[in-house]
Amino acid sequence: MASSLSGYDLHTHSIHSDGTTTPGEIVREAASLGLEGIALTDHDTVTGWPEARAAAADAGIEFLPGVEITTRFGHRSTHLLAYGVDVSRGGLAEELLAVRDARHSRAQEMVARLAADYDIAWETVLAEGDDRTVGRPHIADALVTAGYYPDRSTVFAEILHPRSPYYVPTYATDTAEAIELVREAGGIAVLAHPAASRQRGPVADAALEELADAGLWGVELEHPENREDWLTGLREVALRRGLAATGASDFHGAGKPNRLGDRTTDGETFTQIRSLVAVPR
Ligand code: AMP
Ligand code: ZN
Ligand code: FE
Ligand code: FE
């Protein structure tokens, strides 16, 4: 198979959260593209790890266990990537459960609001016993399936954005507290997509300094949604504070245009992460 890519894609989502493909499918696609390894970073859950780990062993590429934690820094919704955490250590597992429970109630509330204007039922968003981490993408998918909109991105743009009357906020862990929980669990914390164009502006330089003080290890400077013109100050802070720079695609299968391996992390950084964490593979 033609393989033009190299490096490590350290931010991907599977059907354990809001991706559309299985952990095994992500790993096999990564291998066929020529990537040397991937991290699975489903939102607030680690249930996809065993399948990804087994698939990586079969495919002969590296697997790094990860999770993308829903946090907030002040008023800003802030995603924190955690790598190599041992969830049996400290309070991380309990906190992830609290975040997931809140997401469940919040999604149900959003569906209740939408049901006033759309023919949508909770059962079409999340089947009973389905323990994937639920989010707005699943609500979007239900509306696409029902024929109201052509794809997820259109639903977000029209009715799922934070200014929509159907929008309900959800509980998120304080970012500095989340960094502490990740460190207690023997992992490292990387700030995800700090200059994503869908937010009003980049993470402030002073905020990155504060997170560095709180024990942040790295920052995802390479991400398809980062705005290059918003990154200048963040690059400077990262360099000065010795924060590692990572790159990743934030692949969501068919749920987003992001292509697997579109951005990657180099081997030296990957090896360093491996050497630092409690659960390196
Ligand atoms: P939630 O977790 O409910 O806050 O929803 C946020 C998730 O929706 C993130 O994983 C984003 O990647 C995804 N998302 C945000 N905007 C869009 C969009 N325009 N199209 C598809 N997915 C999106
Ligand atoms: Zn997502
Ligand atoms: Fe994110
Ligand atoms: Fe993500």
Side-chain angles (χ1 to χ4, degrees):
M1 193 149 211
S3 59
S4 52
L5 298 178
S6 64
Y8 300 79
D9 189 338
L10 299 190
H11 186 164
T12 69
H13 296 268
S14 76
I15 55 171
H16 289 258
S17 63
D18 56 1
T20 63
T21 58
T22 65
E25 285 165 343
I26 296 172
V27 166
R28 287 186 288 278
E29 184 175 342
S32 78
L33 290 169
L35 294 172
E36 287 142 273
I38 64 128
L40 184 69
T41 55
D42 276 307
H43 297 281
D44 309 306
T45 187
V46 302
T47 52
W49 290 1
E51 184 186 321
R53 186 178 282 134
D58 283 348
I61 67 168
E62 302 291 338
F63 167 66
L64 176 68
V67 54
E68 184 174 20
I69 308 172
T70 304
T71 79
R72 56 161 183 81
F73 191 68
H75 290 296
R76 184 187 176 97
S77 169
T78 302
H79 287 176
L80 189 73
L81 295 162
Y83 296 114
V85 284
D86 176 351
V87 290
S88 73
R89 287 197 209 170
L92 181 61
E94 196 185 343
E95 184 59 22
L96 291 178
L97 206 60
V99 171
R100 283 161 46 80
D101 279 352
R103 280 175 160 282
H104 203 90
S105 316
R106 175 267 199 144
Q108 283 182 317
E109 173 61 24
M110 284 188 70
V111 170
R113 290 189 186 185
L114 285 159
D117 299 316
Y118 296 87
D119 186 10
I120 183 173
W122 176 247
E123 293 67 37
T124 63
V125 174
L126 203 65
E128 203 182 332
D130 183 345
D131 78 337
R132 74 183 72 185
T133 302
V134 70
R136 285 174 287 163
H138 305 99
I139 299 174
D141 289 351
L143 292 167
V144 170
T145 302
Y148 290 108
Y149 296 98
D151 53 38
R152 258 188 204 181
S153 296
T154 309
V155 196
F156 268 87
E158 299 280 331
I159 57 166
L160 294 183
H161 54 80
R163 291 156 313 283
S164 162
Y166 305 114
Y167 181 83
V168 177
T170 192
Y171 167 75
T173 312
D174 170 78
T175 311
E177 275 175 39
I179 291 171
E180 185 55 34
L181 289 171
V182 170
R183 287 161 59 98
E184 278 173 20
I188 58 142
V190 171
L191 183 65
H193 45 71
S197 55
R198 95 177 90 91
Q199 297 206 277
R200 278 188 291 271
V203 169
D205 295 352
L208 187 57
E209 294 264 10
E210 245 182 90
L211 294 176
D213 291 340
L216 187 72
W217 185 82
V219 52
E220 193 178 52
L221 291 176
E222 301 293 329
H223 182 284
E225 289 148 63
N226 278 345
R227 267 179 62 161
E228 195 54 46
D229 60 323
W230 284 357
L231 283 171
T232 316
L234 295 171
R235 284 190 195 285
E236 195 272 323
V237 173
L239 200 63
R240 184 157 42 76
R241 295 299 305 264
L243 297 171
T246 66
S249 69
D250 207 354
F251 180 67
H252 280 70
K256 263 189 158 186
N258 309 26
R259 299 330 311 158
L260 193 63
D262 182 29
R263 304 293 156 94
T264 52
T265 298
D266 62 65
E268 197 180 325
T269 307
F270 183 81
T271 305
Q272 208 182 349
I273 295 174
R274 271 268 156 92
S275 71
L276 290 170
V277 301
V279 183
R281 41 178 58 80

